[in-house]
Structure formats: C-alpha cells, structure tokens
Amino acid sequence: MIKKYSSKISGLGKYLPENKVTNDHLSTLMDTSHDWIVERTGIEERRFIAKDSTEGTASMGVKAAQQAIDRAGISKDDIDLIVFATLSPDYYFPGSGVLVQDLMGIGTCPALDVRNQCSGFIYALSVANQYICTGTYKNVLVIGSEHHSGGLDLTTRGRTVSVIFGDGAGAAVVSRHENPEEGVLSTHLHSEGKHAKELSLIGPSTKKWVHEVFENYDPNDPDYHPYMNGQLVFKNAVVRFSEVIGEALTKNNLKPSDIDMLIPHQANLRIAQFVQKKFGLQDDQVYNNIMRYGNTTAASIPIATCEAWEEGKINSGDHVMLAAFGSGFTWGSSLIKWV
Ligand code: ACO
C-alpha cells in the first residue's frame, strides 16, 4: 500500500439494550447456574433485546453510530464509507450496512458488510484504515452490532453456547490523520477455514434452504442454532490471541510493557486472563466488561473501547492494542497510538 495518510479513531459510540438478563434468569430457562457461568466465563449478566421490541442489528448500530459521529464532531454527510461487521444481520440480504445508511439518511456513499464474527471489528477497522491511508476516503463509519438473543437455543440443549452471548452495538468514526507516527499503526489479520464448522450456524442457508425450514422444520435439528466446539475454540483462542498480539508488538518494535491498554474481544474472561498473564500485563493494562454484557461478538471491541475511553482509561499518546479471535476461525490485532 502506498501510504499517503494515517488514520485515527475520531469518535466512539455504543448502545446496549436496556433489558438485563441475569444468570439466575437463564437458570429458570435451562439447567445451569450463576456459579457455573461465572466460574467458566466470568459473565454475570448480558443484555437481550426485549421480546416486544422492534430493535434489531441495524437499528442498534444506528444508535452507536450517531454517538460516534457526534463525538467525532462531524455530520453524517461527512461519512464516505460505512463498514458494518456482524454475524447476526437483520436479513439474509441485503446487508445491515445499507439499512444503517437508510435509517440515518446518509446519501449514496458505499456500504460494506464484513462477515468475520468475533474478529469482525478488527477486519472492518483494517478496511477503513486502508481506504484512509491511500487517501481514498476521509471519514469511515465502522460499526459492530449483534442481535444474538433471537437465535439462541435457550433450553438445556443449547446451554454451552447460549449463556455466553449478548446483544449490543459499538461504533467508531475512523478519520484521516496527517501524522504517520500516530493513529492506527498496524493491523494484522488471519483466518483458518479448516475450522469453519467448529463455531457456526448452518441454517437457514443456501446449503439448508429456507423452504426446508417451513416444510421440514425439526426444532431438534441442531443446525438451526449456533454450534460451538467450546474446548477447541478455547485452545485455539489462547494461542492465536498471543500470536497476533506478539505480531503487532514485533512489527512496531514494542514490548508488552509498552501496551497502555489491551482491549481483547470479550469472548470469555478466562481467555483474557490467560493472555494477560502470558504478556505479564497488570490489571490496569487490560479492559474487560464481559461481566456486564457477555460476548457481543463484532460489537465487543468497539463497546469495550468506547467504555474504556469514557472512563478516562485511554488517553492521547497511549498504545492501545485491540485483539480478537473467533468463528472462521479468524483472528486479528490492531495497534493504535491514540490521538
Ligand atoms: N451450565 C451448566 N453446565 C454446563 C453448561 C452450562 N451453561 N454448559 C455446559 N455444561 C456442562 C457440560 O454438559 C459438561 O457436563 P459433563 O461434564 O457432565 O459432560 C460440563 O459442563 C463441562 O462442559 P464443557 O463444554 O467441557 O465446559 P468448558 O469448561 O469447556 O466450558 C465454555 C465451556 C465456557 C463454552 C468454554 O469451552 C469456552 O469458553 N470456550 C470458548 C468460547 C469462546 O471463546 N468463544 C469465542 C468465540 S465466539 C464467536 O466467534 C462467535
């Protein structure tokens, strides 16, 4: 890439549905317990869109996006590109990016959907960074939003997966920055498709088409609910998180102690603690909020980054490391010198 500019995060926003779902509430729906969930995942509660609400993936994204745009001090008309990351789009097609564009009344800029699950925000940020660094665009709206609750199997059969996930949205305005020593210093992306089915939702899809759902729908068919090989995901996550954080440090000639704030994708508190220990980071060098929101997949990094910034834990000049691992398998990192 011929780099003409740098890119920086100029505004952050988040939106969490008001409806809190505690572990005790889940225990009334399935055979689980508050203690099991906290011990294995660190999650105490999560948000689910209320059953009687019309809220969805795109509309949550709009709320986070509007806050990010306001904080960036720009107008929606200044947005040159929308990049929308989700595994739970409103529709099979079109993508949720164009729905955001319509809901926000943003003219005819391009809108792109990214389907990289827990790594979605890092992939989306890398797209924004590339377009800005080449001088193509000035302001890119990057959104991560997930509506998990509508698709989870909230019975004992689905408990290994369904206790983990929550709904929510986060957004960032990524803008042109003149100083190449600041802003997004690097992004590193990886995937390994041989594990595609180990964390997946198979139907409905072109392999398991919609008429099958109506004509032969079998509520016991596991393909209609997310599947996760939890232990394999866990084992790969701790390895890949560590590799990709190390890759970013090496590329930028930095040591773990140079990280002012690590914001890992909020997959499981145990994974984040493993990574923290591996790099010898102190508690104030890592931001976690999975306790309150569960795993919000593509939304987790922008929500956590927004919250850390709101709490004054990210400041100008800080080295902020974002890292993610998830379905695909996909993983990635981005090192940002905060402006
Ligand atoms: N409540 C109570 N018991 C449960 C629950 C539950 N919610 N879920 C499973 N169990 C039981 C199992 O049935 C099993 O019982 P058994 O020993 O009698 O057979 C026992 O608990 C242990 O089950 P495991 O699946 O071995 O539990 P594990 O310790 O592996 O924890 C977990 C499961 C939390 C899912 C873990 O594997 C994990 O966190 N994996 C990583 C998940 C992750 O990070 N995903 C991120 C990516 S998400 C994305 O990209 C979309």
Side-chain angles (χ1 to χ4, degrees):
M1 174 180 58
I2 299 165
K3 191 169 167 174
K4 291 175 73 177
Y5 301 101
S6 181
S7 75
K8 66 174 180 182
I9 292 182
S10 58
L12 286 160
K14 68 179 197 310
Y15 173 76
L16 282 311
E18 277 177 23
N19 179 35
K20 287 183 188 171
V21 177
T22 61
N23 294 339
D24 285 338
H25 177 70
L26 291 184
S27 307
T28 66
L29 306 175
M30 62 185 83
D31 182 11
T32 191
S33 68
H34 176 74
D35 290 348
W36 191 97
I37 299 170
V38 171
E39 187 192 317
R40 305 288 176 121
T41 70
I43 299 166
E44 292 170 17
E45 60 184 32
R46 75 285 293 140
R47 307 292 178 92
F48 282 179
I49 290 175
K51 281 214 164 61
D52 56 356
S53 166
T54 56
E55 200 77 85
T57 304
S59 66
M60 288 193 296
V62 166
K63 290 179 176 153
Q66 191 58 58
Q67 192 176 43
I69 289 171
D70 292 344
R71 286 172 169 174
I74 61 169
S75 137
K76 63 182 172 59
D77 300 324
D78 297 320
I79 298 297
D80 301 311
L81 167 70
I82 299 166
V83 189
F84 196 104
T86 188
L87 66 63
S88 50
D90 298 73
Y91 306 136
Y92 194 95
F93 74 84
S96 298
V98 294
L99 303 183
V100 164
Q101 183 174 39
D102 180 43
L103 288 167
M104 296 189 79
I106 296 175
T108 58
C109 77
L112 170 71
D113 272 40
V114 163
R115 298 288 307 276
N116 290 84
Q117 301 69 249
C118 296
S119 311
F121 185 78
I122 305 256
Y123 270 72
L125 178 63
S126 81
V127 172
N129 180 51
Q130 296 283 329
Y131 273 116
I132 288 170
C133 289
T134 54
T136 310
Y137 296 130
K138 274 190 181 168
N139 295 299
V140 180
L141 176 60
V142 179
I143 302 171
S145 180
E146 301 289 1
H147 178 188
H148 282 300
S149 59
L152 296 173
D153 178 358
L154 293 168
T155 69
T156 298
R157 188 182 49 204
R159 64 183 178 174
T160 312
V161 174
S162 54
V163 299
I164 292 180
F165 294 102
D167 299 339
V173 174
V174 185
S175 301
R176 180 184 290 182
H177 186 62
E178 305 287 339
N179 184 347
E181 309 294 319
E182 296 175 331
V184 177
L185 299 181
S186 66
T187 58
H188 297 276
L189 308 177
H190 296 277
S191 46
E192 191 173 28
K194 75 175 182 186
H195 295 305
K197 287 197 175 167
E198 303 295 348
L199 180 45
S200 58
L201 175 58
I202 301 298
S205 64
T206 51
K207 294 270 184 204
K208 223 171 164 84
W209 195 236
V210 179
H211 62 78
E212 202 181 321
V213 176
F214 292 114
E215 289 164 18
N216 304 313
Y217 178 62
D218 171 4
N220 294 315
D221 185 338
D223 281 358
Y224 296 122
H225 296 290
Y227 165 75
M228 177 169 69
N229 180 342
Q231 293 189 358
L232 186 79
V233 171
F234 197 104
K235 283 178 194 157
N236 277 266
V238 293
V239 172
R240 299 307 193 184
F241 262 110
S242 304
E243 279 177 8
V244 84
I245 291 169
E247 194 176 357
L249 289 173
T250 304
K251 161 87 180 169
N252 292 286
N253 293 316
L254 295 173
K255 309 179 292 302
S257 57
D258 295 320
I259 298 174
D260 295 294
M261 186 57 76
L262 167 65
I263 302 180
H265 160 54
Q266 302 291 294
N268 180 324
L269 192 60
R270 303 284 96 86
I271 295 174
Q273 287 168 338
F274 179 95
V275 174
Q276 174 177 347
K277 201 168 161 202
K278 166 127 188 143
F279 286 95
L281 302 176
Q282 303 302 309
D283 287 349
D284 63 0
Q285 286 174 282
V286 185
Y287 193 83
N288 288 302
N289 61 9
I290 193 170
M291 305 72 90
R292 296 191 292 283
Y293 306 135
N295 177 338
T296 57
T297 312
S300 94
I301 288 181
I303 292 172
T305 311
C306 181
E307 219 170 64
W309 175 80
E310 287 169 348
E311 291 170 12
K313 293 179 175 162
I314 299 176
N315 294 293
S316 210
D318 284 354
H319 283 118
V320 178
M321 176 78 77
L322 312 180
F325 175 87
S327 160
F329 292 153
T330 59
W331 60 103
S333 65
S334 179
L335 185 68
I336 303 172
K337 187 160 186 190
W338 205 259
V339 182

